[in-house]
Amino acid sequence: RNRGMKTAVADLLDSDEYRAEIVRSLYVDLLERKPSQQELDQHVKADVGLQSVKIDLETSAEFIKKL
């Protein structure tokens, strides 16, 4: 039973829906706007971790202008 729960949690964390929610939150928190559909799709489908997405946004010209 515990193994099934771990699998379910892992599946959730690996889902596009979960990743999209995190990416949306990062855009709002860091850039103070929602991502375009193209930006969202790009980050959801990227073969990098969410920490890399955060770093990408934090080093963007758009973010730096807000400092």
Side-chain angles (χ1 to χ4, degrees):
R1 181 178 178 174
N2 196 13
R3 182 180 178 123
M5 176 75 95
K6 288 180 183 178
T7 300
V9 170
D11 288 347
L12 172 68
L13 295 177
D14 287 340
S15 72
D16 286 351
E17 294 83 6
Y18 174 77
R19 191 173 172 93
E21 281 302 312
I22 299 300
V23 170
R24 282 187 198 98
S25 293
L26 288 171
Y27 266 80
V28 170
D29 292 348
L30 298 173
L31 302 181
E32 300 174 347
R33 67 174 179 87
K34 294 179 181 178
S36 69
Q37 189 61 51
Q38 181 181 1
E39 290 167 327
L40 184 62
D41 292 344
Q42 174 187 344
H43 289 298
V44 167
K45 298 298 182 190
D47 193 25
V48 297
L50 290 168
Q51 187 66 30
S52 292
V53 174
K54 182 179 181 197
I55 291 168
D56 186 46
L57 295 177
E58 289 174 332
T59 57
S60 70
E62 183 177 352
F63 179 79
I64 291 170
K65 278 191 224 177
K66 293 186 178 298
L67 295 179

